[in-house]
């Protein structure tokens, strides 16, 4: 099968591992920089070009789209979908996962638990907004942050109001959440592929921090996930329509809570912590979906894609 991987950097660990896994299984694979892809859109069909050449004949595309190019990268992925190419993570699902507020709304509507979250826009409502959340500590998150960036902890009401006022002054979009103290600065990254968690690791925040992201200095180790937490992770990915996802859970007194769903999870930390060939499992899942119709049948347009100039 002919694979496309949408990635800006062929040297990134996750991209390299997916390329290796695909070739080891007999597939041809090409890494495409989404920003070098360009599109023709018309009622007679759809076309994609890359560095002057037509892109055609791909059976599946694996998106590795970073937040900085989310809008354009997603448009390129959608063009592949409209041309009948299978993907484990549709563009609409990536858009929903990337928007933290919308993601939380979708999950909560399906009964998936998470830290209590509040969101507001008008400065006149700040005091009531904080009252809706409850007493501090409060976690304040930029809605488009990643790898622990744009996540702050405030321990007094005055500090929460100050951060909220500052972020509004910068026209930033953010949400506020309850702080789960009993988690002890640890979270669980679950790698969901299809209908199961194929690997899980526990990430512990360094001393003096509450963010467990490995990019923030967190330490990871393999984790034996219980069935309840695994079910929550799989359901969260399914609600958003993601076939491959990194679901971050926090273990609370009331059960596992979803912190975030990542549509383009890094593979380095979880493969090294668990020894699981996650890239290989992703490739096998995507190939099986493309061969059996999978999401392709839900994204294929009725007219033939235009592939010739």
């Amino acid at each position: 099968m002919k694979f496309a991987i949408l990635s800006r950097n062929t040297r990134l660990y996750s991209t390299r591992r997916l390329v290796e896994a695909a070739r080891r299984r007999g597939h041809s694979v090409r890494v495409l920089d989404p920003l070098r892809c360009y599109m023709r859109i018309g009622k007679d069909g759809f076309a994609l070009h890359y560095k002057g050449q037509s892109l055609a004949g791909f059976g599946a595309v694996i998106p590795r789209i970073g937040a900085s190019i989310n809008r354009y990268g997603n448009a390129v992925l959608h063009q592949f979908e409209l041309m009948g190419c299978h993907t484990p993570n549709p563009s609409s699902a990536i858009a929903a996962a990337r928007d933290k507020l919308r993601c939380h709304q979708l999950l909560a509507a399906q009964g998936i638990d998470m830290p209590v979250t509040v969101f507001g826009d008008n400065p006149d409502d700040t005091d009531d907004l904080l009252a809706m959340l409850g007493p501090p500590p409060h976690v304040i998150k930029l809605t488009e942050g990643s790898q622990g960036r744009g996540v702050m902890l405030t321990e007094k009401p005055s500090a929460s109001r100050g951060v909220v006022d500052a972020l509004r002054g910068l026209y930033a979009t953010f949400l506020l959440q309850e702080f789960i103290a009993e988690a002890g600065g640890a979270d669980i990254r679950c790698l969901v592929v299809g209908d199961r968690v194929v690997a899980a690791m526990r990430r512990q925040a360094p001393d003096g921090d509450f963010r467990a992201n490995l990019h923030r200095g967190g330490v990871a180790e393999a984790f034996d996930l219980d069935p309840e937490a695994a079910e929550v992770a799989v359901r969260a990915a399914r609600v958003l329509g993601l076939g491959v996802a990194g679901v971050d859970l926090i273990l609370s007194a009331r059960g596992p809570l979803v912190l975030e769903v990542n549509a383009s999870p890094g593979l380095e930390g979880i493969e090294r912590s668990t020894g699981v060939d996650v890239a290989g499992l992703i490739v096998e899942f995507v190939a099986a979906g493309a061969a059996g119709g999978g999401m392709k049948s839900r994204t294929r347009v009725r007219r033939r894609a235009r592939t010739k100039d």
Side-chain angles (χ1 to χ4, degrees):
M1 183 176 294
K2 188 177 179 181
F3 276 79
I5 297 176
L6 296 180
S7 173
R8 295 222 64 206
N9 190 344
T10 59
R11 296 187 296 274
L12 291 175
Y13 177 93
S14 300
T15 301
R16 287 192 292 104
R17 286 286 296 119
L18 289 167
V19 170
E20 293 167 1
R23 289 176 175 165
R24 188 176 299 120
R25 287 159 177 79
H27 304 293
S28 64
V29 58
R30 185 176 181 187
V31 178
L32 304 172
D33 180 350
L35 297 187
R36 293 300 304 272
C37 297
Y38 44 103
M39 299 159 273
R40 181 188 185 278
I41 303 165
K43 68 176 184 178
D44 56 339
F46 304 89
L48 263 172
H49 279 207
Y50 186 79
K51 297 182 179 181
Q53 296 182 341
S54 175
L55 291 175
F58 289 95
V61 55
I62 300 176
R64 300 289 309 174
I65 298 170
S68 63
I69 62 163
N70 187 56
R71 185 172 182 179
Y72 191 82
N74 245 9
V76 170
L77 176 60
H78 194 204
Q79 189 83 348
F80 270 106
E81 295 175 76
L82 292 167
M83 293 169 62
C85 191
H86 172 70
T87 178
N89 290 351
S91 54
S92 58
I94 293 175
R98 193 59 51 77
D99 183 336
K100 288 186 174 67
L101 177 61
R102 180 165 178 77
C103 176
H104 281 58
Q105 289 174 322
L106 292 170
L107 296 176
Q110 296 301 316
I112 295 175
D113 204 359
M114 64 195 67
V116 173
T117 302
V118 299
F119 174 82
D121 185 67
N122 195 303
D124 293 339
D125 301 324
T126 297
D127 287 342
D128 193 41
L129 185 72
L130 293 174
M132 290 170 66
L133 180 58
H138 298 146
V139 177
I140 304 176
K141 296 181 178 180
L142 296 178
T143 58
E144 295 186 353
S146 63
Q147 297 177 348
R149 292 187 291 264
V151 181
M152 295 149 278
L153 179 68
T154 56
E155 297 183 353
K156 296 181 179 180
S158 58
S160 297
R161 284 193 294 271
V163 172
V164 167
D165 290 343
L167 291 176
R168 283 188 173 138
L170 295 172
Y171 301 99
T173 305
F174 58 92
L175 50 81
L176 298 93
Q177 291 184 321
E178 67 171 319
F179 176 63
I180 309 299
E182 64 266 28
D187 68 18
I188 312 299
R189 164 57 63 91
C190 308
L191 211 302
V192 177
V193 178
D195 60 358
R196 65 192 182 102
V197 174
V198 299
M201 64 178 176
R202 181 180 184 273
R203 303 181 299 189
Q204 178 65 53
D207 291 341
D209 202 343
F210 71 102
R211 297 167 297 178
N213 306 74
L214 299 186
H215 290 84
R216 302 287 100 189
V219 178
E221 61 182 3
F223 186 78
D224 187 11
L225 203 63
D226 66 55
E228 179 189 8
E231 181 183 2
V232 169
V234 171
R235 283 185 60 212
R238 186 182 299 126
V239 165
L240 296 176
L242 296 169
V244 175
V247 180
D248 295 341
L249 303 178
I250 193 166
L251 303 182
S252 76
R254 64 179 187 263
L257 309 178
V258 174
L259 287 179
E260 186 175 349
V261 182
N262 193 322
S264 186
L267 304 184
E268 185 172 9
I270 201 157
E271 285 198 333
R272 291 183 173 174
S273 298
T274 66
V276 176
D277 179 12
V278 176
L281 294 172
I282 292 173
V283 167
E284 291 171 3
F285 171 72
V286 175
M295 293 182 187
K296 186 177 180 180
S297 63
R298 301 201 294 270
T299 58
R300 185 188 293 119
V301 292
R302 293 183 178 179
R303 55 188 175 272
R304 180 181 301 174
R306 185 181 188 275
T307 56
K308 294 183 180 180
D309 294 326

